[in-house]
Structure formats: C-alpha cells, structure tokens
Amino acid sequence: MIAALNRIVDLVEDGDVDLAAVARSAGTTEYHLRRMFSSLAGMPLSEYARRRRMTVAAADVIRAEDDLLTIAVRHGYTSAEAFGRAFRAVHGAGPGEVRRDGGPLRTQPQIRFRLTVEGSTPMDTRLTDRPAFRLVGHATRVPLIHEGVNPHIQQHVAAIPAEEHGRLKSLGDTEPAGILAVTDGIEQESPEGSELTYLHGVALSSAAAVPDDLDVIEAPAGRWAVFRSSGPYPQTLQETWAATATEWFPSNPWRMRPGPSIVSVLDRAADLSTATCELWLPVEPA
C-alpha cells in the first residue's frame, strides 16, 4: 500500500493519475486509496494535485520564458483566466503579480510515504449481528468530502428545528442508540465530489411505525463492526474512521459490505468540544 501511495504521488508529477489502474495493481479500490491518501497526507488527493500543479507552474511564471496563456495550457488549463484563478487560490496572488514581484509563493513539497510502526494502541471494537432495521429522519443529498467538516451537512443539520431533535430521539427504539449521522448511497470507488445521501435521525426496528414526514434508509440484516472513540470532537472520531482503513481492515479478516455507515454520539460536552462516539460499519468475511 505504501508503494501504491507513492506511485500516485509520482503520477501527480507526470500529470496523468490513473487511480483505477493503481488500485487494481494494489488489490484494493479507488475509494480506499483516496481515503488512505487523505488520512495520511492530511488533504484530499485532488487538493494535493492542485497545489503541486501550481507549485510547478510558479517556476514557469517566474522564469518568464513563455507568456501566461502558454503556461496555462501546459498545466492543463484552457484559458489564462482559469489558470489565474487557480494560481491565486493556491498562492494568494495572481501570476502577473508573482512574475513582477517574485512572490508571494506557497510551495507544496512533494509528499513521500514511508513505513512506520503503527497499531501499538488497541482499537476499541466489537462485532455484532443485527436483524434488519430502519434509519429514520431527515435526509438530503450532499457531495462527498474526504477530509474536514462537510459544510453541506452542517447546513442541513442547522436547518432542523431544535424541537425536532427531541421528537426524533423519542422515536428511536433500537441500536445504534441516540441521534445518528448516517451516510448512504456511495460506492467504494466514488471520487471526492460524488453525491451521497446524508440522514440525521434515529434507528427503528423493522416493525415500528414511521411518521409520514420522515425519510427512511433501510439497513439490511448482517454483521456490523462498531468502533468506539472518546476525546476531542470531531478530531478523535475522524482519526478513528481513518484508522479503520489504514489499520483495522488490513489487520482483520473482514471487508465492507453494502449498507449505510452510521455515527452515534453517545455522550458530549455542552459545547461539543469532546464526545464519545460509536462508528458502525457494515462488514462481511473477507
């Protein structure tokens, strides 16, 4: 896997990232490669590629051997205007200003992944077999974002009236307990930006009545791996989620099966600075 990640870095330098081919050669999926890259590098692959492209382009701009349109086309842009917007987003100044003043520049070094010893801290995990149940609440479609807070989800949750949270909590009658953050409808190979369904709600047994004004995601019967995290929020939860891909799945005879991913907040500080959470992932024997 380290070799696959470094191969991706090399392809970024060549300007031709065939992630599907790298995933096939590594015996994994494009989705897991993107997720692992984001977890280890601290940024999505798309953002790293953009920063590297603009780092190399800055050298061309400063050398002033070609006009800006020629440089734009060389780096994959169809117009000097589009190139200028991308350049400014990374460096904080346009290419004309940088050519005149020599800066400012924000350089993105080339990432290299190296093997270090991980996994010395056990993960608090349990496996549970569950009959089919329903996830009921308020759903919306949002773009997939691998790293950091998803502002589209934030806006969706903020728009739900406070009293509705109480009603939802009173409806829940099965595990996972409490108010849940549910993601569904995304393939493992899906790139960042793909749409998924996000549901803010609770778990109901299959026989429970569902109010007509609520959305429903069916959770099929099967086995779930449940990962508990406790600490600063959301950092600890994000670290746990990343560790499932980088540590737990590679070390255990399980793989993801179709179904939603669920986060249950069991306990939290009043300001949500810390929280105890459970991450539920549907699994099957590898």
Side-chain angles (χ1 to χ4, degrees):
M1 188 58 66
I2 294 296
L5 292 172
N6 283 324
R7 175 61 178 152
I8 292 171
V9 170
D10 292 338
L11 291 174
V12 168
E13 298 302 307
D14 295 338
D16 183 20
V17 182
D18 187 349
L19 204 59
V22 177
R24 286 194 300 271
S25 67
T28 185
T29 66
E30 182 178 345
Y31 171 82
H32 276 95
L33 272 182
R34 287 185 181 275
R35 189 166 177 181
M36 186 170 290
F37 187 99
S38 177
S39 299
L40 296 178
M43 72 184 85
L45 174 59
S46 58
E47 175 64 15
Y48 172 71
R50 185 172 69 96
R51 292 184 187 181
R52 281 297 300 157
R53 188 182 303 120
M54 290 300 103
T55 295
V56 175
D60 289 344
V61 168
I62 291 174
R63 277 196 296 265
E65 295 174 357
D66 298 298
D67 60 65
L68 295 181
L69 179 57
T70 300
I71 295 172
V73 172
R74 180 183 303 145
H75 292 283
Y77 293 86
T78 57
S79 69
E81 290 75 15
F83 172 72
R85 288 192 296 269
F87 193 94
R88 183 178 292 275
V90 171
H91 296 293
E97 299 167 79
V98 168
R99 173 166 285 184
R100 182 187 66 236
D101 302 328
L105 293 175
R106 295 173 183 165
T107 300
Q108 171 62 57
Q110 184 177 351
I111 287 175
R112 299 308 298 177
F113 295 93
R114 291 182 172 83
L115 181 64
T116 58
V117 176
E118 302 285 353
S120 58
T121 302
M123 296 183 70
D124 187 356
T125 312
R126 62 187 171 95
L127 294 166
T128 179
D129 290 312
R130 295 296 319 283
F133 58 93
R134 290 173 171 168
L135 297 156
V136 176
H138 297 278
T140 188
R141 296 287 287 174
V142 300
L144 174 64
I145 295 177
H146 290 300
E147 186 75 17
V149 175
N150 189 318
H152 306 278
I153 292 177
Q154 277 190 324
Q155 293 169 11
H156 174 66
V157 174
I160 299 174
E163 59 271 16
E164 181 64 6
H165 295 276
R167 179 175 80 116
L168 288 172
K169 198 166 185 177
S170 69
L171 290 173
D173 67 353
T174 189
E175 280 196 305
I179 297 292
L180 309 174
V182 182
T183 55
D184 191 35
I186 191 78
E187 297 294 332
Q188 289 191 356
E189 295 83 3
S190 297
E192 188 169 43
S194 302
E195 280 205 334
L196 59 89
T197 297
Y198 174 82
L199 180 139
H200 186 80
V202 293
L204 271 66
S205 56
S206 294
V210 178
D212 293 337
D213 63 330
L214 297 179
D215 301 303
V216 177
I217 293 176
E218 300 289 345
R223 185 163 293 168
W224 297 78
V226 185
F227 304 88
R228 179 173 288 227
S229 67
S230 185
Y233 184 86
Q235 294 94 327
T236 303
L237 173 61
Q238 291 174 338
E239 290 168 2
T240 298
W241 203 312
T244 66
T246 59
E247 297 181 23
W248 194 82
F249 279 107
S251 304
N252 290 275
W254 303 99
R255 66 186 177 197
M256 292 279 287
R257 63 177 172 85
S261 300
I262 306 168
V263 172
S264 170
V265 179
L266 303 179
D267 190 26
R268 49 172 282 186
D271 61 356
L272 202 55
S273 60
T274 62
T276 297
C277 303
E278 283 188 341
L279 169 62
W280 289 60
L281 298 179
V283 298
E284 63 186 5

